[in-house]
Amino acid sequence: MKSLAELQAIKDKMKNKIVLREGTGDIRVVVGMATCGIAAGARPVLNAFVEAVNNAGLTDKVTVSQTGCVGYCQPIVEIYEAGKEKVTYIHMTADKAKEVVEKHLKGGNVVAEYTVTDAN
């Protein structure tokens, strides 16, 4: 950085992502970001959720945040909606995250093939 203007430009660029993670939306998306989850690929999943929620215009409705260990050493995402049971997505990738935003968060339909079942 060479100037305060450059620093301000970086701040402005990142503002939406920070607000998104700390927002108070009706839906909470929580990504497991313990060291094992990060090693298994959770960071791109978190970034994909933040970007897709922002691009879909859902920032007033959806809050994306991170948590520590959720019990499995893989990218895990839990979605909480008021009045509904928690949905847990497993083996997540950035592409799956984008699909979940479109189908579940935007469309209201759980992407069942990515959720926890007795067969997983």
Side-chain angles (χ1 to χ4, degrees):
M1 265 179 288
K2 297 180 181 179
S3 69
L4 289 176
E6 189 177 347
L7 180 60
Q8 184 64 42
I10 292 169
K11 178 183 174 187
D12 292 343
K13 179 181 175 186
M14 298 306 293
K15 186 177 180 182
N16 285 340
K17 292 183 180 183
I18 293 170
V19 169
L20 180 60
R21 290 184 187 187
E22 296 176 355
T24 57
D26 299 329
I27 301 171
R28 284 184 22 223
V29 176
V30 181
V31 181
M33 292 287 289
T35 54
C36 60
I38 292 169
R43 189 172 312 282
V45 172
L46 175 68
N47 293 338
F49 268 106
V50 170
E51 183 179 323
V53 166
N54 192 35
N55 290 343
L58 298 173
T59 56
D60 59 333
K61 181 180 175 183
V62 178
T63 301
V64 179
S65 62
Q66 61 187 30
T67 191
C69 182
V70 288
Y72 297 101
C73 297
Q74 58 180 281
I76 302 282
V77 175
E78 296 177 326
I79 297 182
Y80 299 89
E81 293 182 71
K84 296 183 180 180
E85 285 190 40
K86 169 184 74 172
V87 176
T88 302
Y89 288 104
I90 60 172
H91 302 293
M92 291 300 291
T93 64
D95 289 336
K96 289 178 181 179
K98 293 172 188 173
E99 184 178 350
V100 168
V101 169
E102 279 300 310
K103 292 181 179 176
H104 184 159
L105 302 181
K106 195 172 178 182
N109 300 308
V110 173
V111 185
E113 63 261 30
Y114 304 151
T115 61
V116 172
T117 65
D118 292 334
N120 292 337

